[in-house]
């Protein structure tokens, strides 16, 4: 019994969504791939995957099996590579990252990363929800903000400096606030997922703000600010181009707001595949050179 081959067929079927693609990749023919999957299910004693001519879909048992087996196969391949003295990251890397950070800071790094590591494939899961790394078989999650207590490992790779901003059109119509105490007299665009709610946490003078627009995504806050709907407190890199062009103005820069840490999270350092390590290293190095993202990096 070649259970390792069966497991490889299963893992690649999940990741490619196609038995034909697995057969082509492994050079064994599609009927053999189907037989290997059936043998694996028979050995385990449960169905892992529903297969049809059009679609592959995992059963709940298959989802758990994939999440647990894939790191084990990664560790085995890395051990073999180390034994051969190779340093050649390869395979599929699954990364979860928030929408705004992905658009403005991570997606521009994808092309040079893949050029540097031609045997790595990247699956970016872009969204602002909190994913379960183990259940969803995510290698690395990039998160902005203070971390909750967690069994996950974390490496700090950057810092998001927050500022108050408004469009020049809004300021021309409503005036420029000089201190946080002026903000209650202004329309503020509220980020509904902010941990402090409607209280903007200036270090010396936290202030309650209000406004007619409340948005649950940084991209939505950005759009509202550019439309002249009010003042927002957001990471400065979200408005870098508009600040440079003069369309948006940074307000009260002398009033400091605590920055937000940016972390790379992963389930267990011992099973972190090399392709994940080189990706995290790249982000940390690039963020360290970016004046809007640099900060003390904690290994």
């Amino acid at each position: 019994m070649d259970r390792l081959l069966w497991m490889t067929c299963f893992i690649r079927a999940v990741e490619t969504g196609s038995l034909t693609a697995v057969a082509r990749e492994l050079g064994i023919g599609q009927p053999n791939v189907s037989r290997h999957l059936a043998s694996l299910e028979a050995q385990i004693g449960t169905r892992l995957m529903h297969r049809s001519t059009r679609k592959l879909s995992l059963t709940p048992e298959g989802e758990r099996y994939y999440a647990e087996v894939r790191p084990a196969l990664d560790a085995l391949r890395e051990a073999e590579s180390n034994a051969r003295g190779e340093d050649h990251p390869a395979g599929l890397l699954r990364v979860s990252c928030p929408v705004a950070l992905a658009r403005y800071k991570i997606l521009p790094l994808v092309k040079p990363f893949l050029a540097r590591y031609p045997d790595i494939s990247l699956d970016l899961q872009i969204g602002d929800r909190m994913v379960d790394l183990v259940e969803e078989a995510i290698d690395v999650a990039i998160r902005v903000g203070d971390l909750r207590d967690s069994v996950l490992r974390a490496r700090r790779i950057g810092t998001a400096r927050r500022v108050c901003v408004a469009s020049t059109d809004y300021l021309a119509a409503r005036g420029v606030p000089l201190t946080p105490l002026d903000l209650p007299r202004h329309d503020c665009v509220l980020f509904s997922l902010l941990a402090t709610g409607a209280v903007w946490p200036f270090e010396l003078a936290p202030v309650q703000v209000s406004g007619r627009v409340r948005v649950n995504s940084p991209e939505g806050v950005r759009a509202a600010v550019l439309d002249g709907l009010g003042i927002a407190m957001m990471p400065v890199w979200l408005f870098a181009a508009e600040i440079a062009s003069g369309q948006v103005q940074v307000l009260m820069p002398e009033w400091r707001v605590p920055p937000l840490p940016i972390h790379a999270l992963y389930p267990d350092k011992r099973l972190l595949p090399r392709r994940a390590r080189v990706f995290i290293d790249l982000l940390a190095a690039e963020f360290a050179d970016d004046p809007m993202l640099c900060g003390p990096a904690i290994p």
Side-chain angles (χ1 to χ4, degrees), residues 95-131:
V95 177
S96 169
C97 51
V99 176
L101 188 67
R103 177 180 175 184
Y104 294 101
K105 295 299 179 180
I106 294 180
L107 284 173
L109 301 177
V110 169
K111 183 176 181 180
F113 175 74
L114 295 180
R116 185 182 302 180
Y117 302 105
D119 292 323
I120 293 179
S121 299
L122 188 60
D123 180 359
L124 279 177
Q125 303 288 315
I126 298 176
D128 292 327
R129 70 182 182 89
M130 301 289 282
V131 301

Side-chain angles (χ1 to χ4, degrees), residues 157-159 281-295 297:
I157 59 174
T159 299
D281 288 344
L282 174 72
L283 292 187
E286 293 290 339
F287 289 3
D289 288 336
D290 187 327
M292 295 190 178
L293 289 173
C294 61

Side-chain angles (χ1 to χ4, degrees), residues 104-296:
Y104 294 101
K105 295 299 179 180
I106 294 180
L107 284 173
L109 301 177
V110 169
K111 183 176 181 180
F113 175 74
L114 295 180
R116 185 182 302 180
Y117 302 105
D119 292 323
I120 293 179
S121 299
L122 188 60
D123 180 359
L124 279 177
Q125 303 288 315
I126 298 176
D128 292 327
R129 70 182 182 89
M130 301 289 282
V131 301
D132 186 314
L133 275 69
V134 175
E135 287 292 328
E136 300 181 44
I138 299 295
D139 296 301
V140 180
I142 308 302
R143 291 184 183 162
V144 181
D146 294 323
L147 298 177
R148 302 171 183 173
D149 291 338
S150 171
V151 297
L152 298 173
R153 302 296 185 95
R155 175 181 172 184
R156 185 163 177 172
I157 59 174
T159 299
R161 183 167 60 90
R162 291 185 289 179
V163 294
C164 283
V165 293
S167 71
T168 52
D169 289 343
Y170 173 87
L171 296 173
R174 298 290 302 274
V176 179
L178 300 179
T179 76
L181 296 179
D182 295 332
L183 290 175
R185 296 191 293 273
H186 282 266
D187 284 326
C188 293
V189 179
L190 303 178
F191 178 43
S192 58
L193 301 182
L194 183 67
T196 55
V199 176
W200 285 1
F202 296 95
E203 288 188 344
L204 298 180
V207 63
Q208 180 93 26
V209 299
S210 63
R212 294 185 295 160
V213 178
R214 182 183 297 266
V215 189
N216 69 347
S217 76
E219 289 272 54
V221 173
R222 170 184 157 81
V225 169
L226 296 183
D227 281 344
L229 296 179
I231 299 170
M233 186 188 71
M234 295 299 290
V236 65
W237 50 261
L238 195 60
F239 296 92
E242 291 75 20
I243 292 170
S245 70
Q247 183 183 356
V248 168
Q249 183 176 331
V250 175
L251 307 174
M252 305 171 291
E254 67 277 11
W255 291 87
R256 189 173 182 272
V257 180
L260 296 173
I262 304 173
H263 288 95
L265 304 183
Y266 45 91
D268 191 322
K269 188 173 183 179
R270 293 171 301 171
L271 298 179
L272 187 67
R274 184 168 296 163
R275 58 182 174 272
R277 290 202 294 268
V278 296
F279 183 76
I280 294 172
D281 288 344
L282 174 72
L283 292 187
E286 293 290 339
F287 289 3
D289 288 336
D290 187 327
M292 295 190 178
L293 289 173
C294 61

